[in-house]
Amino acid sequence: LTPGKADVLTVAELTEAYDCPPSLHKPSCTYSESHRHVSETEHRQVYDEYGVRDEDRNGRSGEVDHFFPLCGGGSNDLSNLWYQPSVNVWNGQNFGFHEKDALESWVCREVKAGRLDPKIAFQRITGDWVAYYLEVRPKASRSRVD
């Protein structure tokens, strides 16, 4: 349902300072802080597209998230928004949103440090994020980034 979409795929654009939305009360923001705006209507549309029950539309059961992360240049377009459950067991391992968040944090840190081309990150995450996570899991499990 969600192929993924990037709006920005250059390190220069990802590392420059952006004007912040007034709600953040600070003068400059990262790309992801300045572009993080998904309406409640869009959240509901994603829940509906993925057939998420009303009682599971909460942060404990799962989340509406950017398939390709904002911190890597991801878009707020519906083609980049998906529902990801907190528990998603495959081959005896969980691949829920906590695991994907760890991968995203590692990818974004590597992109911003110039060690990973954003275009490669986009291809790897949108191609098979689980395989990519399994490949870099030891590094990704130690990362947190905006």
Side-chain angles (χ1 to χ4, degrees):
L1 293 174
T2 305
K5 181 179 179 187
D7 284 339
V8 171
L9 285 175
T10 68
V11 174
E13 289 174 294
L14 292 171
T15 56
E16 74 180 65
Y18 290 84
D19 292 334
C20 290
S23 61
L24 292 181
H25 307 290
K26 60 185 199 173
S28 71
C29 285
T30 64
Y31 174 85
S32 62
E33 289 172 326
S34 68
H35 290 81
R36 188 173 303 280
H37 55 277
V38 176
S39 71
E40 284 301 313
T41 300
E42 290 168 313
H43 273 87
R44 280 192 300 280
Q45 187 173 347
V46 172
Y47 283 132
D48 291 346
E49 285 177 0
Y50 277 84
V52 178
R53 302 176 311 175
D54 287 343
E55 59 269 21
D56 291 332
R57 297 179 181 202
N58 58 64
R60 292 178 316 282
S61 298
E63 65 183 16
V64 172
D65 199 5
H66 296 86
F67 188 53
F68 185 66
L70 283 177
C71 61
S75 175
N76 284 314
D77 189 87
L78 283 171
S79 65
N80 194 47
L81 297 174
W82 70 322
Y83 174 75
Q84 188 171 23
S86 59
V87 176
N88 187 22
V89 177
W90 179 72
N91 277 351
Q93 295 182 58
N94 187 39
F95 296 102
F97 71 80
H98 296 292
E99 289 72 23
K100 178 128 183 328
D101 287 350
L103 173 64
E104 292 172 358
S105 294
W106 177 82
V107 163
C108 292
R109 185 184 74 222
E110 295 299 299
V111 164
K112 290 177 182 177
R115 295 185 293 260
L116 177 61
D117 183 323
K119 293 173 189 78
I120 300 295
F122 178 80
Q123 291 168 350
R124 296 295 309 271
I125 287 177
T126 59
D128 186 345
W129 80 264
V130 170
Y132 196 28
Y133 172 77
L134 290 171
E135 180 183 319
V136 301
R137 178 179 26 203
K139 300 174 219 171
S141 65
R142 296 187 303 264
S143 303
R144 291 303 303 162
V145 171
D146 169 45

